[in-house]
Amino acid sequence: MRDPRISFRSREFAAVLAFLIPGAGHFYQGRRLKSGIYFTGILFLFYAGMVLGDWQPVYSQTVQSTRAGNFQMQAGEVPFVSQPSIGFGAQVLVGLPALPAIVQSSRFASDPGMVNSLQSELVSPFVGAFRSGEVFVPVTGELSIKPARLGAGEGRFVGTTQHGEPVSVEIAGSVSLGRKVFGSPNRDIVVSGLTGIEVGGVRPYQLVGSVSRPFADWYQAPRDTVELDRLHGKLSHSFDIACVFTWIAGLLNLMAIWDAYDGPAYGYGDEDPEEEESDADPKSGSE
């Protein structure tokens, strides 16, 4: 039986609030202590996992990698195989902090896939290489490209090679960008048809690598198995621990939701122990 001293008000509404924001249902019921404990404890655990996992442990589905191993550069009309993330079943119980994954899943499904033309100027840090046949010259720096004509772009790359040699070249050629919505901060890019430039002693015909993807396009978005492999390679066991933190946070909030709906079986849960009877039962005296 529920403690009659607790005003549950609308139990259903309290449960909904508890789902959306941990502790909100208890705050609505006037149970301030539990509200603070649930809010602080659950959200701290959830966001500790997010920070530990580079803000990438939460996603609703994964996509099987293509034969080429690069799903980002796959055309939108090409069918793909995806599967739901089992862990998201626990993460979504945290409520609003995990709901962007559902929105991103919808955006991901309607994404047109690889983009073969620029709609606006691209200015971003770049990590990749200039390619000449089977020879690659790794470089890092900043890439800026302006739309020129359909499927082409003109711009400049300024940076350094892996040996610290400065590189500053004008580039022009056809541009291909990885899909817009994808669960990685890195968006693949390929600039082909380069002519008249020399980098690291070779004359490349292609620039391959990645630029940065806006936070709103990768946060909690679906990703492929290649990206998951990259995360495990970068973070090692820290990524697994981060996922466990977010799972536990969701499961803890499930208990909070039930507590907001049906309350503790007896009392508030924070009473002092009852005082022991100091007097003996008069009927139990020794004869």
Side-chain angles (χ1 to χ4, degrees):
M1 58 178 292
R2 295 186 299 273
D3 192 315
R5 294 174 297 173
I6 300 177
S7 174
F8 286 91
R9 305 180 72 178
S10 171
R11 296 191 296 147
E12 292 78 9
F13 184 60
V16 171
L17 288 177
F19 163 69
L20 293 175
I21 303 175
H26 296 77
F27 188 86
Y28 162 73
Q29 293 172 334
R31 302 157 72 185
R32 303 291 194 265
L33 177 61
K34 277 194 172 182
S35 173
I37 293 174
Y38 284 135
F39 180 84
T40 303
I42 293 174
L43 290 185
F44 175 81
L45 188 61
F46 180 82
Y47 284 109
M50 294 295 281
V51 172
L52 188 62
D54 250 1
W55 297 92
Q56 293 184 264
V58 179
Y59 51 94
S60 64
Q61 61 176 304
T62 56
V63 180
Q64 294 296 323
S65 304
T66 62
R67 290 183 178 180
N70 193 343
F71 180 78
Q72 288 198 53
M73 303 303 285
Q74 181 174 298
E77 59 271 14
V78 177
F80 59 87
V81 177
S82 65
Q83 58 185 16
S85 167
I86 298 176
F88 185 67
Q91 293 165 338
V92 73
L93 294 172
V94 175
L96 286 178
L99 294 186
I102 298 177
V103 177
Q104 295 289 52
S105 181
S106 177
R107 294 182 64 209
F108 179 85
S110 60
D111 191 288
M114 182 181 63
V115 178
N116 288 314
S117 61
L118 293 176
Q119 303 299 319
S120 59
E121 182 179 9
L122 171 67
V123 179
S124 171
F126 174 85
V127 177
F130 282 95
R131 179 182 183 183
S132 176
E134 297 302 316
V135 178
F136 292 84
V137 181
V139 291
T140 58
E142 183 174 89
L143 178 65
S144 58
I145 304 179
K146 295 181 179 180
R149 59 187 185 279
L150 182 62
E154 297 177 349
R156 169 178 286 273
F157 173 78
V158 179
T160 59
T161 68
Q162 63 178 343
H163 301 298
E165 300 173 1
V167 177
S168 179
V169 295
E170 300 287 339
I171 59 175
S174 61
V175 179
S176 297
L177 272 173
R179 61 190 307 124
K180 179 180 179 181
V181 180
F182 187 74
S184 171
N186 306 314
R187 188 178 187 184
D188 290 350
I189 185 171
V190 177
V191 183
S192 302
L194 304 180
T195 57
I197 64 174
E198 183 174 328
V199 179
V202 301
R203 293 186 175 275
Y205 68 87
Q206 200 173 57
L207 176 65
V208 296
S210 63
V211 294
S212 61
R213 178 181 275 107
F215 181 81
D217 291 334
W218 67 260
Y219 182 64
Q220 295 193 16
R223 68 283 312 272
D224 63 2
T225 50
V226 171
E227 176 62 17
L228 288 177
D229 289 342
R230 185 192 72 82
L231 282 170
H232 281 96
K234 176 184 177 182
L235 302 176
S236 186
H237 62 276
S238 295
F239 184 73
D240 294 325
I241 296 174
C243 291
V244 171
F245 278 12
T246 57
W247 299 342
I248 294 176
L251 295 176
L252 286 176
N253 200 42
L254 179 61
M255 293 190 295
I257 294 169
W258 178 254
D259 189 78
Y261 178 77
D262 209 41
Y266 294 95
Y268 293 89
D270 55 2
E271 298 89 352
D272 293 329
E274 293 183 2
E275 295 182 1
E276 296 183 0
E277 295 183 3
S278 57
D279 297 329
D281 189 337
K283 296 183 179 179
S284 61
S286 57
E287 297 183 4

